[in-house]
């Protein structure tokens, strides 16, 4: 009987524990009301090594090629190392040419995948060539394609008789003193052994001023993972369909009170109405009417005109820099969160200046 009783006690304890855990899990799920949103791009995930190279290219063309020399076959470590270890390895290589500030900027660029669209742009250019079948990397020499290194010399012989390719602003050109040379465009994934083999041959020819060597990123087998981007300014609006009866008189009173409270605000769209009412006390009613108009117009999200979009970044930076230090962060936060509305500040000031000039003349 003792073993049977012990067995029953154990089963009872296990059953009560499972029931307690299940109830705890239900409560945890029910208490969580957060909403997680993922913003996925239309292209697959791009390698961080290529994004790091684009960051280097933005610093200088010289740093791009110096960084490239140190990571010629770095991609082979991706197969044996974890993603985090490979990430740190890229940062270590980049740290040879960047200070701590720029390393932090590179980390931030990685987090928001700022250079992923640039990699996809090169990928799209390569797709338009199109690439030869079964080639990890290939070169284009004045509209002639090959993925064999030993054919490069042959294609260079009559390259001058063929049309010279168009080069884009973002192309990576190997440093050379001459520009009027046959153009050899390499489509390859930096860090792979195939890329390294092509690069050694082409860089040697470029140093001897035989060719103009141009590199464009090309990934033969893109990742199967989605490219998730950082999103901002996302709002989840949930509308209640429940009917609620309200007294019209009370609604009007609340609305009027709200408008009166808003008109007490000192600054609206760049106008300091408190100061203006002190200086022009005889125009107090007109200023109040104009202030109410600006407050109501703030709530309207009408499309901006083309001329309203000119120099907006300069206007915002100028306003932030001219603000006292203690208020600058607050103002920057306000501008970034309400940028479409703040963009009309410049338009309103110009209109008022124009009207003032007309009244004087």
């Amino acid at each position: 009987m003792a073993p049977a009783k012990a067995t029953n006690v154990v089963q009872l304890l296990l059953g009560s524990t499972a029931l307690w855990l299940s109830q705890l899990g239900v409560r945890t799920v029910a208490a969580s009301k957060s909403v997680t949103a993922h913003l996925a791009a239309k292209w697959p995930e791009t390698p961080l090594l290529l994004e790091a190279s684009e960051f280097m290219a933005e610093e200088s063309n010289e740093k791009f090629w110096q960084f490239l020399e140190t990571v010629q076959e770095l991609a082979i470590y991706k197969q044996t190392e974890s993603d985090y270890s490979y990430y740190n390895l890229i940062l270590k290589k980049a740290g040879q040419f960047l200070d701590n500030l720029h390393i932090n900027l590179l980390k931030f660029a990685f987090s928001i995948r700022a250079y992923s669209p640039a990699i996809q742009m090169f990928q799209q250019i390569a797709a338009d060539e199109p690439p030869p079948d079964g080639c990890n990397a290939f070169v284009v020499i004045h509209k002639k394609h090959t993925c064999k290194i030993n054919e490069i010399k042959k294609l260079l012989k009559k390259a001058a008789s063929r049309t010279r390719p168009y080069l884009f602003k973002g192309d990576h050109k190997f440093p050379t003193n001459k520009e009027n040379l046959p153009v050899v465009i390499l489509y390859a994934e930096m860090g792979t052994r195939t890329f390294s083999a092509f690069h050694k041959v082409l860089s040697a020819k470029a140093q001897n001023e035989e060719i103009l060597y141009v590199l464009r990123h090309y990934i033969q087998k893109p990742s199967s993972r989605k490219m998730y981007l950082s999103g901002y300014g996302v709002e989840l609006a949930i509308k209640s369909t429940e009917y609620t009866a309200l007294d019209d008189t009370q609604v009007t009173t609340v609305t009027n009170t709200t408008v009166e409270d808003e008109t007490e605000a000192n600054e609206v769209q760049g106008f300091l109405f408190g100061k203006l009412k002190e200086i022009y006390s005889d125009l107090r009613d007109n200023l109040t009417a104009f202030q109410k108009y600006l407050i109501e117009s703030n709530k309207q999200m009408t499309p901006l005109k083309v001329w309203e979009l000119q120099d907006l970044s300069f206007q915002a930076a100028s306003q932030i820099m001219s603000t006292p230090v203690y208020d600058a962060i607050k103002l920057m936060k306000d501008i970034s969160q309400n940028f479409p509305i703040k963009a009309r500040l410049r338009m309103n000031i110009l209109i008022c200046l124009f009207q003032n000039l007309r009244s004087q003349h």
Side-chain angles (χ1 to χ4, degrees):
M1 292 295 293
K5 289 183 179 180
T7 303
N8 292 335
V9 171
V10 171
Q11 290 178 348
L12 181 61
L13 288 173
L14 290 175
S16 60
T17 303
L19 178 61
W20 177 76
L21 287 174
S22 63
Q23 290 178 347
L24 180 62
V26 170
R27 289 176 183 174
T28 304
V29 173
S32 177
K33 295 183 180 179
S34 61
V35 177
T36 303
H38 295 285
L39 180 63
K42 293 184 178 180
W43 61 88
E45 186 179 39
T46 52
L48 288 180
L49 181 60
L50 304 190
E51 294 182 29
S53 70
E54 288 299 311
F55 181 89
M56 288 292 184
E58 206 169 72
E59 291 296 310
S60 70
N61 189 51
E62 181 182 1
K63 284 186 177 181
F64 171 83
W65 290 101
Q66 289 176 346
F67 176 72
L68 182 147
E69 290 293 338
T70 64
V71 298
Q72 286 191 46
E73 296 186 10
L74 194 70
I76 61 176
Y77 293 100
K78 192 175 183 181
Q79 301 173 0
T80 57
E81 301 287 338
S82 65
D83 289 345
Y84 183 69
S85 298
Y86 187 61
Y87 166 82
N88 287 325
L89 182 59
I90 295 173
L91 292 177
K92 183 179 179 180
K93 294 292 185 181
Q96 299 178 26
F97 313 101
L98 301 173
D99 55 24
N100 290 334
L101 175 61
H102 286 82
I103 285 294
N104 290 331
L105 288 175
L106 177 58
K107 291 179 181 178
F108 179 68
F110 280 160
S111 65
I112 63 175
R113 310 310 295 263
Y115 295 95
S116 181
I119 307 302
Q120 178 60 22
M121 177 195 70
F122 285 114
Q123 189 76 358
Q124 187 61 49
I125 294 173
D128 293 339
E129 281 295 345
D133 295 334
C135 294
N136 295 329
F138 65 98
V139 294
V140 179
I141 305 175
H142 293 216
K143 294 190 175 182
K144 293 292 184 178
H145 303 65
T146 183
C147 53
K148 297 180 180 179
I149 297 177
N150 55 10
E151 292 184 357
I152 294 177
K153 187 176 181 180
K154 177 183 177 182
L155 295 178
L156 283 172
K157 289 183 179 179
K158 297 182 179 180
S161 61
R162 298 191 297 270
T163 305
R164 188 181 177 89
Y166 178 81
L167 298 182
F168 299 97
K169 182 180 179 181
D171 281 329
H172 306 298
K173 294 189 290 185
F174 192 88
T176 181
N177 296 325
K178 292 184 179 180
E179 291 287 337
N180 190 21
L181 296 169
V183 180
V184 179
I185 303 176
L186 172 61
Y187 291 88
E189 181 179 354
M190 184 187 303
T192 60
R193 288 176 179 172
T194 308
F195 162 78
S196 180
F198 272 100
H199 174 70
K200 288 177 182 178
V201 174
L202 295 179
S203 60
K205 289 184 177 294
Q207 289 173 354
N208 295 331
E209 297 184 346
E210 297 178 21
I211 62 171
L212 180 61
Y213 171 25
V214 178
L215 173 64
R216 291 175 181 172
H217 301 296
Y218 167 64
I219 308 166
Q220 186 201 19
K221 296 180 180 179
S223 173
S224 58
R225 293 188 292 187
K226 293 182 179 180
M227 180 73 245
Y228 290 108
L229 305 176
S230 295
Y232 58 92
V234 179
E235 177 187 4
L236 178 62
I238 301 177
K239 182 180 179 181
S240 175
T241 58
E242 182 180 356
Y243 177 77
T244 304
L246 295 175
D247 189 350
D248 293 342
T249 57
Q250 293 180 2
V251 173
T252 305
T253 304
V254 171
T255 304
N256 292 336
T257 304
T258 303
V259 173
E260 289 175 1
D261 291 340
E262 289 178 342
T263 55
E264 293 300 323
N266 188 36
E267 188 269 337
V268 179
Q269 295 196 23
F271 295 98
L272 301 176
F273 282 96
K275 197 70 175 177
L276 290 173
K277 290 176 182 178
E278 290 180 8
I279 300 174
Y280 305 101
S281 57
D282 55 327
L283 300 175
R284 190 177 186 87
D285 294 339
N286 293 337
L287 288 171
T288 301
F290 182 51
Q291 186 179 8
K292 289 181 179 179
Y293 167 75
L294 292 181
I295 292 173
E296 291 299 325
S297 64
N298 274 347
K299 301 174 183 178
Q300 299 176 1
M301 294 298 292
T302 55
L304 294 174
K305 302 292 190 300
V306 175
W307 67 272
E308 294 180 62
L309 299 173
Q310 296 176 355
D311 301 327
L312 281 183
S313 57
F314 174 77
Q315 295 284 347
S318 176
Q319 187 175 1
I320 293 171
M321 293 298 294
S322 61
T323 305
V325 178
Y326 297 103
D327 297 329
I329 296 296
K330 182 180 178 181
L331 178 60
M332 185 168 64
K333 179 181 178 182
D334 181 47
I335 291 177
S336 62
Q337 291 179 344
N338 304 287
F339 196 74
I341 294 174
K342 296 295 180 181
R344 291 181 175 78
L345 169 62
R346 180 171 177 266
M347 176 187 68
N348 291 331
I349 293 176
L350 289 175
I351 291 174
C352 291
L353 289 174
F354 177 72
Q355 291 177 345
N356 189 27
L357 289 174
R358 286 189 61 185
S359 62
Q360 291 179 1
H361 296 283

